Amino acid sequence: AQSVTQPDIHITVSEGASLELRCNYSYGATPYLFWYVQSPGQGLQLLLKYFSGDTLVQGIKGFEAEFKRSQSSFNLRKPSVHWSDAAEYFCAVGGYNFNKFYFGSGTKLNVKP
Amino acid sequence: GAVVSQHPSWVICKSGTSVKIECRSLDFQATTMFWYRQFPKQSLMLMATSNEGSKATYEQGVEKDKFLINHASLTLSTLTVTSAHPEDSSFYICSANKKGKGHNEQFFGPGTRLTVL
């Protein structure tokens, strides 16, 4: 069965510190992987995506993610967090043509000054 | 670009009334659109897949008579919550598939917050 797991519900980091948000997936075919960010009351903004090729993908706002097929993971990283990064982050997986799109439960990021 | 809009952005209605939410792809044609529901502090759950010119495909547990979906054109899908009740209060988000080279991409609307009194 297809699923996405984000094991961390809440994460708090200090401003300027590094960040890693975990994402594990289960998918029966070649996965297309995504990270989205959602601010309170807002829609989703795409941070980055992985379709194929280089397993380390760069996104907007200084985020990057690494696809590790052997671990079924697609963790999101940022070397130095800014206060404006405080939001909820969702990992998602879809197949070719994205007829089904599965979201993780989300990780809420708090940033300490 | 690929922009998806939703209207209204928020709506408050009385219990028992029906509410229609529109999802539009502004600069591309979308043969397939999706409707998601997000409860407070929870993830997005796919409700249904909307295909232009045909009946929507609903996920298990979603009442199709409660949530009417119409995909009248390649740029418009509507979700009607019929006889809304307070438990239908939620954040509804649509997305639209855009055909690309070798694969499609999904673009999300900004969401519609529904509050049923």
Side-chain angles (χ1 to χ4, degrees):
Chain A
Q2 292 83 353
S3 66
V4 179
T5 301
Q6 292 180 246
D8 304 306
I9 299 174
H10 287 101
I11 283 185
T12 299
V13 299
S14 298
E15 190 170 16
S18 64
L19 171 70
E20 182 169 27
L21 303 182
R22 296 183 289 166
C23 172
N24 292 94
Y25 68 90
S26 174
Y27 199 75
T30 300
Y32 289 1
L33 295 156
F34 307 81
W35 275 99
Y36 288 89
V37 60
Q38 185 181 38
S39 297
Q42 302 297 312
L44 299 175
Q45 181 181 22
L46 178 66
L47 287 176
L48 47 77
K49 59 194 176 189
Y50 172 77
F51 291 161
S52 65
D54 192 347
T55 56
L56 183 64
V57 293
Q58 303 297 320
I60 62 171
K61 302 184 179 184
F63 286 93
E64 66 176 27
E66 186 172 11
F67 171 58
K68 293 186 178 180
R69 184 184 298 274
S70 61
Q71 298 178 18
S72 297
S73 70
F74 189 57
N75 294 347
L76 181 71
R77 300 193 293 251
K78 186 170 184 178
S80 178
V81 170
H82 188 263
W83 64 267
S84 60
D85 293 325
E88 187 142 24
Y89 292 79
F90 293 96
C91 179
V93 63
Y96 183 75
N97 286 332
F98 312 114
N99 289 330
K100 292 286 188 178
F101 219 76
Y102 298 91
F103 284 86
S105 54
T107 298
K108 186 171 183 179
L109 172 65
N110 294 317
V111 180
K112 293 191 299 184
Chain B
V3 180
V4 176
S5 70
Q6 283 184 239
H7 178 79
S9 56
W10 59 269
V11 56
I12 301 173
C13 69
K14 293 182 179 180
S15 185
T17 61
S18 294
V19 176
K20 180 184 285 188
I21 302 170
E22 294 185 347
C23 176
R24 294 182 184 272
S25 55
L26 298 184
D27 49 2
F28 65 99
Q29 293 182 332
T31 55
T32 304
M33 290 183 172
F34 303 87
W35 286 95
Y36 295 84
R37 183 174 182 176
Q38 185 180 30
F39 289 105
K41 301 182 179 180
Q42 295 189 28
S43 187
L44 284 76
M45 299 297 295
L46 179 64
M47 298 175 65
T49 302
S50 169
N51 297 299
E52 188 267 337
S54 64
K55 291 183 179 180
T57 303
Y58 290 81
E59 294 298 300
Q60 190 174 8
V62 178
E63 301 174 60
K64 56 184 176 182
D65 294 331
K66 172 78 171 175
F67 299 99
L68 300 179
I69 291 173
N70 184 280
H71 198 149
S73 74
L74 289 173
T75 59
L76 173 64
S77 175
T78 60
L79 167 68
T80 301
V81 183
T82 62
S83 186
H85 291 283
E87 58 265 31
D88 298 323
S89 298
S90 190
F91 195 52
Y92 293 88
I93 300 178
C94 74
S95 69
N97 253 10
K98 179 181 180 183
K99 289 186 178 180
K101 295 180 181 179
H103 56 259
N104 296 344
E105 291 192 48
Q106 261 192 54
F107 294 90
F108 287 84
T112 296
R113 182 161 303 283
L114 169 64
T115 301
V116 184
L117 302 176

